[in-house]
Amino acid sequence: MTFASIIVPAFNVADTLPQTLDALLAQSWRDFEIIVVDDGSTDATVEVVKSYSHDRRLRLISQANRGLAGARNTGIYAAKGDVIGFCDADDLWEPTKLAEHIWHLRENPHVGVSYSGSLLIDDEGQPTGHAQRPRLNRVSAAHVFKRNPVGNGSAPVIRRAALADVSYMPPSESERPWYFDETFRQSEDIEMWLRMALVTDWAFEGVPGLLTRYRVNSGGLSAATDRQLEAWERMVAKLTPLAPEFFARHTREARAYQLRYLSRRAIVDMDRGRTLTLTRRWLEQSKLPLIKEPVKSTATLAAAAVLAVCGEGLLRRLMELASKFNRAGGQA
């Protein structure tokens, strides 16, 4: 059987970690290990992990805080699996997720990154009525850059060989290689996915279904948009020398999608000023999102207009109605 490693970065996650570990230990594919990397927690995270010491499939590694990318790198370096999955300590996997990805990778030797869609859940673990339903096939580097079909850091299961092909040893490192760039505290996922898409021949391909439950934390979303955009722009600057023509051709459209995404975050946080600024900026960059994704783009513009003209009260009521519709089986 294929042996798999699941990396769980953990920083002050004592409240959500038990749910995550229970979901991972319940996987239908049985030949795996879980590596929890405690990234300098100051709460009861370590005690939570130790309470699972009866299960030999679980290992704990503790380190001084190095951020999400650093915790993942430590876990990859310690992993024994032929394939490596990632699950953040506030997210959940459905019971068949690991099995479906392993069979997918077995049947498709050209695929390096197997991923799935994700159901979005709130702070209490309840479905929000929304989901990430990504493109599953014929994924190019341009798709990764513009729309990031992998979606989130708890969605992919990756071949060890594919990770090895993007590993490097920075001058500051003497113990283990980097796969994710530890100088990034945001956009570390897309930086690694895009680097892999640009410099290797490994394919990105998804499997059907919402196999990840991805937690969307409430409050303070728009406050992080400046930092996230700055990290995204730094990623573009870093990777452009690898493929100058690629970035010259695709960056404006990709930036428009990124700004549209950030504007949606500002809308959820009811931040009128940020919403208007980000909406104006993505329309200035490119109108292609309106042509290629008219439903989502139009809905975003409509929500921004309601927030600007009618205020938070009406928009919140409309969003509640949309959420109820989605929970009742409408399109998310």
Side-chain angles (χ1 to χ4, degrees):
M1 293 180 71
T2 301
F3 187 67
S5 299
I6 306 171
I7 311 303
V8 181
F11 176 70
N12 290 346
V13 287
D15 290 341
T16 59
L17 184 57
Q19 279 187 305
T20 298
L21 295 180
D22 289 344
L24 295 177
L25 290 168
Q27 291 298 298
S28 60
W29 187 271
R30 307 306 296 168
D31 202 13
F32 66 89
E33 64 175 354
I34 299 171
I35 302 174
V36 180
V37 181
D38 168 47
D39 195 38
S41 296
T42 57
D43 68 351
T45 292
V46 170
E47 286 70 25
V48 168
V49 179
K50 289 181 177 178
S51 72
Y52 287 81
S53 61
H54 59 280
D55 197 317
R56 294 185 178 180
R57 293 174 295 175
L58 194 148
R59 284 197 282 156
L60 171 66
I61 298 175
S62 292
Q63 65 180 25
N65 184 265
R66 299 184 70 158
L68 181 58
R72 287 177 179 163
N73 287 341
T74 296
I76 296 168
Y77 184 64
K80 301 175 182 177
D82 302 307
V83 300
I84 298 175
F86 303 92
C87 187
D88 290 347
D90 56 355
D91 297 334
L92 306 172
W93 278 13
E94 298 295 341
T96 62
K97 179 175 173 66
L98 182 58
E100 294 195 38
H101 288 299
I102 287 177
W103 284 112
H104 180 221
L105 291 169
R106 278 186 171 183
E107 294 297 314
N108 299 276
H110 64 291
V111 174
V113 180
S114 178
Y115 57 89
S116 71
S118 298
L119 181 72
L120 304 189
I121 59 175
D122 61 20
D123 290 329
E124 305 303 319
Q126 298 303 308
T128 66
H130 298 278
Q132 294 175 340
R133 293 182 171 87
R135 182 187 184 100
L136 302 181
N137 305 108
R138 298 184 298 278
V139 174
S140 67
H143 291 124
V144 175
F145 185 29
K146 297 172 187 176
R147 302 300 293 119
N148 183 16
V150 181
N152 62 80
S154 296
V157 175
I158 305 177
R159 292 186 194 273
R160 174 182 286 277
L163 288 167
D165 283 348
V166 294
S167 67
Y168 63 103
M169 188 74 75
S172 60
E173 187 65 61
S174 59
E175 296 182 3
R176 52 126 171 94
W178 286 13
Y179 309 86
F180 295 89
D181 187 334
E182 296 183 25
T183 68
F184 283 78
R185 290 295 177 117
Q186 289 183 297
S187 299
E188 65 282 325
D189 292 341
I190 184 62
E191 190 279 330
M192 204 270 268
W193 313 148
L194 184 54
R195 178 158 38 93
M196 183 179 289
L198 289 171
V199 304
T200 78
D201 293 325
W202 292 108
F204 287 68
E205 196 170 282
V207 298
L210 305 177
L211 302 181
T212 301
R213 293 193 169 220
Y214 178 63
R215 196 180 306 266
V216 180
N217 296 314
S218 63
L221 296 177
S222 63
T225 55
D226 284 340
R227 294 193 300 273
Q228 183 149 344
L229 182 59
E230 180 183 1
W232 188 89
E233 295 287 2
R234 189 160 73 87
M235 174 202 70
V236 172
K238 174 192 172 181
L239 298 182
T240 293
L242 296 178
E245 294 182 1
F246 171 88
F247 284 95
R249 186 164 63 253
H250 297 295
T251 294
R252 286 184 66 87
E253 183 182 350
R255 184 179 289 115
Y257 279 114
Q258 179 68 8
L259 289 164
R260 189 191 70 176
Y261 161 70
L262 295 175
S263 75
R264 291 171 71 88
R265 290 184 60 174
I267 288 168
V268 170
D269 212 33
M270 301 295 167
D271 188 331
R272 180 180 179 275
R274 292 296 297 153
T275 295
L276 294 178
T277 297
L278 291 164
T279 298
R280 182 171 59 253
R281 290 184 63 186
W282 76 257
L283 290 171
E284 289 171 351
Q285 282 295 312
S286 175
K287 302 298 191 298
L288 286 174
L290 276 168
I291 298 170
K292 295 182 178 180
E293 294 186 354
V295 174
K296 180 175 281 190
S297 295
T298 302
T300 303
L301 291 176
V306 170
L307 181 60
V309 176
C310 303
E312 176 181 338
L314 178 59
L315 179 58
R316 196 175 295 279
R317 288 195 294 274
L318 291 173
M319 291 175 67
E320 288 173 355
L321 288 172
S323 181
K324 288 179 181 179
F325 173 75
N326 290 330
R327 288 193 178 99
Q331 184 68 31

